[in-house]
Short mmCIF file of all heavy atoms in Angstrom, two decimals:
data_model
loop_
_atom_site.label_atom_id
_atom_site.label_comp_id
_atom_site.label_asym_id
_atom_site.label_seq_id
_atom_site.Cartn_x
_atom_site.Cartn_y
_atom_site.Cartn_z
N ASN A 205 18.06 14.69 -16.12
CA ASN A 205 17.44 13.53 -15.49
C ASN A 205 18.53 12.87 -14.66
O ASN A 205 19.52 12.38 -15.21
CB ASN A 205 16.89 12.57 -16.55
CG ASN A 205 16.24 11.36 -15.94
OD1 ASN A 205 16.85 10.63 -15.18
ND2 ASN A 205 14.98 11.15 -16.28
N PHE A 206 18.38 12.89 -13.35
CA PHE A 206 19.42 12.40 -12.46
C PHE A 206 19.70 10.91 -12.63
O PHE A 206 20.84 10.47 -12.52
CB PHE A 206 19.09 12.73 -11.00
CG PHE A 206 19.34 14.17 -10.67
CD1 PHE A 206 18.35 15.11 -10.89
CD2 PHE A 206 20.56 14.58 -10.17
CE1 PHE A 206 18.59 16.45 -10.60
CE2 PHE A 206 20.80 15.92 -9.88
CZ PHE A 206 19.81 16.85 -10.11
N GLU A 207 18.68 10.11 -12.90
CA GLU A 207 18.90 8.68 -13.09
C GLU A 207 19.72 8.43 -14.35
O GLU A 207 20.65 7.62 -14.34
CB GLU A 207 17.57 7.93 -13.17
CG GLU A 207 17.76 6.43 -13.27
CD GLU A 207 16.45 5.65 -13.25
OE1 GLU A 207 15.38 6.26 -13.42
OE2 GLU A 207 16.52 4.43 -13.06
N ASN A 208 19.43 9.15 -15.43
CA ASN A 208 20.20 8.99 -16.66
C ASN A 208 21.66 9.43 -16.46
O ASN A 208 22.56 8.86 -17.05
CB ASN A 208 19.59 9.80 -17.80
CG ASN A 208 18.25 9.26 -18.25
OD1 ASN A 208 17.87 8.15 -17.90
ND2 ASN A 208 17.52 10.06 -19.01
N THR A 209 21.85 10.45 -15.64
CA THR A 209 23.20 10.99 -15.43
C THR A 209 23.99 10.21 -14.39
O THR A 209 25.17 9.93 -14.60
CB THR A 209 23.09 12.47 -14.99
OG1 THR A 209 22.37 13.19 -16.00
CG2 THR A 209 24.46 13.10 -14.82
N TYR A 210 23.36 9.82 -13.27
CA TYR A 210 24.09 9.22 -12.15
C TYR A 210 23.75 7.76 -11.89
O TYR A 210 24.27 7.17 -10.96
CB TYR A 210 23.83 10.03 -10.87
CG TYR A 210 24.30 11.45 -10.97
CD1 TYR A 210 23.39 12.50 -11.14
CD2 TYR A 210 25.65 11.76 -10.93
CE1 TYR A 210 23.82 13.81 -11.24
CE2 TYR A 210 26.09 13.07 -11.04
CZ TYR A 210 25.17 14.09 -11.20
OH TYR A 210 25.60 15.38 -11.31
N GLY A 211 22.86 7.19 -12.67
CA GLY A 211 22.47 5.81 -12.46
C GLY A 211 21.38 5.67 -11.40
O GLY A 211 20.67 6.62 -11.08
N ALA A 212 21.28 4.48 -10.84
CA ALA A 212 20.19 4.15 -9.92
C ALA A 212 20.09 5.09 -8.72
O ALA A 212 18.99 5.38 -8.24
CB ALA A 212 20.36 2.71 -9.42
N VAL A 213 21.21 5.60 -8.25
CA VAL A 213 21.17 6.51 -7.09
C VAL A 213 20.38 7.79 -7.40
O VAL A 213 19.83 8.42 -6.50
CB VAL A 213 22.61 6.85 -6.60
CG1 VAL A 213 23.33 7.76 -7.56
CG2 VAL A 213 22.57 7.44 -5.20
N GLY A 214 20.27 8.15 -8.67
CA GLY A 214 19.54 9.35 -9.06
C GLY A 214 18.08 9.13 -9.37
O GLY A 214 17.35 10.08 -9.68
N LYS A 215 17.61 7.88 -9.27
CA LYS A 215 16.21 7.57 -9.61
C LYS A 215 15.24 8.40 -8.76
O LYS A 215 15.36 8.45 -7.54
CB LYS A 215 15.94 6.09 -9.40
CG LYS A 215 14.53 5.67 -9.79
CD LYS A 215 14.39 4.17 -9.71
CE LYS A 215 12.99 3.66 -9.96
NZ LYS A 215 12.27 4.23 -11.05
N ASP A 216 14.32 9.06 -9.43
CA ASP A 216 13.26 9.88 -8.81
C ASP A 216 13.77 11.07 -8.01
O ASP A 216 13.02 11.66 -7.23
CB ASP A 216 12.35 9.02 -7.92
CG ASP A 216 11.55 8.02 -8.72
OD1 ASP A 216 11.25 8.30 -9.90
OD2 ASP A 216 11.22 6.94 -8.18
N PHE A 217 15.04 11.44 -8.19
CA PHE A 217 15.54 12.64 -7.50
C PHE A 217 15.23 13.86 -8.35
O PHE A 217 15.61 13.94 -9.52
CB PHE A 217 17.05 12.56 -7.26
CG PHE A 217 17.56 13.78 -6.54
CD1 PHE A 217 17.44 13.89 -5.17
CD2 PHE A 217 18.12 14.84 -7.24
CE1 PHE A 217 17.88 15.03 -4.50
CE2 PHE A 217 18.56 15.98 -6.58
CZ PHE A 217 18.44 16.07 -5.21
N ILE A 218 14.55 14.81 -7.78
CA ILE A 218 14.22 16.08 -8.45
C ILE A 218 13.61 17.00 -7.39
O ILE A 218 13.02 16.53 -6.42
CB ILE A 218 13.25 15.87 -9.64
CG1 ILE A 218 13.23 17.08 -10.58
CG2 ILE A 218 11.85 15.53 -9.17
CD1 ILE A 218 14.41 17.16 -11.51
N HIS A 219 13.81 18.29 -7.54
CA HIS A 219 13.10 19.26 -6.70
C HIS A 219 11.76 19.56 -7.36
O HIS A 219 11.62 19.43 -8.57
CB HIS A 219 13.89 20.56 -6.59
CG HIS A 219 15.10 20.47 -5.72
ND1 HIS A 219 15.76 21.58 -5.27
CD2 HIS A 219 15.77 19.41 -5.20
CE1 HIS A 219 16.78 21.22 -4.52
NE2 HIS A 219 16.81 19.90 -4.47
N VAL A 220 10.79 19.98 -6.56
CA VAL A 220 9.51 20.41 -7.10
C VAL A 220 9.31 21.86 -6.67
O VAL A 220 9.29 22.16 -5.48
CB VAL A 220 8.35 19.50 -6.63
CG1 VAL A 220 7.01 20.06 -7.08
CG2 VAL A 220 8.54 18.09 -7.17
N HIS A 221 9.19 22.73 -7.65
CA HIS A 221 9.09 24.17 -7.43
C HIS A 221 7.63 24.61 -7.45
O HIS A 221 6.87 24.20 -8.32
CB HIS A 221 9.87 24.88 -8.55
CG HIS A 221 9.76 26.37 -8.53
ND1 HIS A 221 10.31 27.14 -7.53
CD2 HIS A 221 9.15 27.23 -9.39
CE1 HIS A 221 10.06 28.43 -7.79
NE2 HIS A 221 9.36 28.50 -8.91
N HIS A 222 7.27 25.44 -6.48
CA HIS A 222 5.94 26.06 -6.47
C HIS A 222 6.00 27.30 -7.37
O HIS A 222 6.74 28.24 -7.09
CB HIS A 222 5.54 26.50 -5.06
CG HIS A 222 5.12 25.37 -4.19
ND1 HIS A 222 6.01 24.51 -3.59
CD2 HIS A 222 3.89 24.94 -3.84
CE1 HIS A 222 5.35 23.61 -2.89
NE2 HIS A 222 4.06 23.85 -3.02
N ILE A 223 5.25 27.28 -8.45
CA ILE A 223 5.26 28.39 -9.39
C ILE A 223 4.78 29.67 -8.69
O ILE A 223 5.35 30.73 -8.87
CB ILE A 223 4.40 28.05 -10.64
CG1 ILE A 223 5.07 26.88 -11.38
CG2 ILE A 223 4.26 29.26 -11.54
CD1 ILE A 223 4.24 26.25 -12.46
N ILE A 224 3.74 29.54 -7.88
CA ILE A 224 3.32 30.65 -7.02
C ILE A 224 4.02 30.41 -5.68
O ILE A 224 3.79 29.37 -5.05
CB ILE A 224 1.79 30.68 -6.81
CG1 ILE A 224 1.07 30.82 -8.15
CG2 ILE A 224 1.39 31.80 -5.86
CD1 ILE A 224 -0.43 30.61 -8.06
N PRO A 225 4.88 31.33 -5.24
CA PRO A 225 5.61 31.10 -3.98
C PRO A 225 4.66 30.79 -2.82
O PRO A 225 3.59 31.38 -2.70
CB PRO A 225 6.34 32.43 -3.75
CG PRO A 225 6.46 33.04 -5.11
CD PRO A 225 5.22 32.61 -5.85
N LEU A 226 5.08 29.85 -1.98
CA LEU A 226 4.23 29.42 -0.86
C LEU A 226 3.80 30.59 0.02
O LEU A 226 2.68 30.61 0.52
CB LEU A 226 4.96 28.39 -0.01
CG LEU A 226 4.99 26.97 -0.56
CD1 LEU A 226 5.81 26.07 0.34
CD2 LEU A 226 3.59 26.42 -0.73
N HIS A 227 4.68 31.57 0.20
CA HIS A 227 4.33 32.68 1.08
C HIS A 227 3.23 33.57 0.48
O HIS A 227 2.63 34.38 1.17
CB HIS A 227 5.56 33.51 1.45
CG HIS A 227 6.13 34.28 0.31
ND1 HIS A 227 7.04 33.73 -0.56
CD2 HIS A 227 5.94 35.56 -0.10
CE1 HIS A 227 7.38 34.64 -1.46
NE2 HIS A 227 6.72 35.75 -1.21
N GLU A 228 2.95 33.41 -0.82
CA GLU A 228 1.89 34.18 -1.47
C GLU A 228 0.56 33.43 -1.52
O GLU A 228 -0.47 34.01 -1.85
CB GLU A 228 2.30 34.55 -2.89
CG GLU A 228 3.44 35.54 -2.95
CD GLU A 228 3.84 35.89 -4.38
OE1 GLU A 228 3.10 35.55 -5.32
OE2 GLU A 228 4.91 36.50 -4.55
N ILE A 229 0.59 32.14 -1.21
CA ILE A 229 -0.63 31.33 -1.28
C ILE A 229 -1.42 31.51 0.02
O ILE A 229 -0.86 31.40 1.11
CB ILE A 229 -0.28 29.85 -1.51
CG1 ILE A 229 0.36 29.68 -2.89
CG2 ILE A 229 -1.51 28.97 -1.38
CD1 ILE A 229 0.87 28.28 -3.17
N GLN A 230 -2.69 31.77 -0.13
CA GLN A 230 -3.55 31.96 1.03
C GLN A 230 -3.87 30.62 1.68
O GLN A 230 -3.93 29.58 1.02
CB GLN A 230 -4.86 32.64 0.61
CG GLN A 230 -4.68 34.01 0.00
CD GLN A 230 -4.05 35.00 0.96
OE1 GLN A 230 -4.43 35.08 2.11
NE2 GLN A 230 -3.08 35.76 0.47
N GLN A 231 -4.08 30.65 2.98
CA GLN A 231 -4.44 29.43 3.71
C GLN A 231 -5.72 28.86 3.11
O GLN A 231 -6.64 29.59 2.77
CB GLN A 231 -4.64 29.75 5.19
CG GLN A 231 -4.74 28.52 6.04
CD GLN A 231 -4.69 28.85 7.52
OE1 GLN A 231 -4.53 29.99 7.91
NE2 GLN A 231 -4.82 27.84 8.34
N GLY A 232 -5.75 27.56 2.97
CA GLY A 232 -6.94 26.92 2.41
C GLY A 232 -6.86 26.73 0.90
O GLY A 232 -7.72 26.08 0.32
N TYR A 233 -5.85 27.32 0.25
CA TYR A 233 -5.69 27.18 -1.20
C TYR A 233 -5.30 25.75 -1.52
O TYR A 233 -4.39 25.19 -0.91
CB TYR A 233 -4.62 28.15 -1.70
CG TYR A 233 -4.32 28.03 -3.18
CD1 TYR A 233 -5.13 28.67 -4.11
CD2 TYR A 233 -3.25 27.29 -3.65
CE1 TYR A 233 -4.87 28.58 -5.46
CE2 TYR A 233 -2.97 27.19 -5.00
CZ TYR A 233 -3.80 27.84 -5.91
OH TYR A 233 -3.53 27.75 -7.24
N ALA A 234 -5.98 25.14 -2.47
CA ALA A 234 -5.66 23.77 -2.88
C ALA A 234 -4.67 23.84 -4.04
O ALA A 234 -5.01 24.36 -5.11
CB ALA A 234 -6.92 23.03 -3.28
N VAL A 235 -3.48 23.34 -3.84
CA VAL A 235 -2.44 23.37 -4.86
C VAL A 235 -2.81 22.40 -5.98
O VAL A 235 -3.14 21.25 -5.73
CB VAL A 235 -1.06 23.01 -4.26
CG1 VAL A 235 -0.01 22.86 -5.33
CG2 VAL A 235 -0.64 24.05 -3.25
N ASP A 236 -2.75 22.88 -7.21
CA ASP A 236 -2.96 22.03 -8.39
C ASP A 236 -1.60 21.49 -8.80
O ASP A 236 -0.73 22.24 -9.23
CB ASP A 236 -3.57 22.87 -9.51
CG ASP A 236 -3.81 22.09 -10.79
OD1 ASP A 236 -3.06 21.12 -11.07
OD2 ASP A 236 -4.74 22.46 -11.53
N PRO A 237 -1.39 20.17 -8.68
CA PRO A 237 -0.06 19.60 -8.93
C PRO A 237 0.46 19.80 -10.35
O PRO A 237 1.66 19.79 -10.58
CB PRO A 237 -0.23 18.12 -8.63
CG PRO A 237 -1.56 17.96 -8.02
CD PRO A 237 -2.34 19.18 -8.26
#
């Protein structure tokens, strides 16, 4: 958790990974968050 580790500067910092790679998702596919 970046906020716990680095303080306020780390608040809400995180990457979000697509479990199914974007290049494999067909156009029109609705991503389930």
Side-chain angles (χ1 to χ4, degrees):
N205 180 303
F206 284 87
E207 184 176 14
N208 292 346
T209 303
Y210 299 105
V213 72
K215 183 174 175 44
D216 294 330
F217 180 82
I218 197 78
H219 286 195
V220 174
H221 175 68
H222 284 77
I223 295 169
I224 301 170
L226 282 177
H227 69 274
E228 292 180 12
I229 295 174
Q230 299 298 315
Q231 191 170 357
Y233 177 83
V235 173
D236 179 330

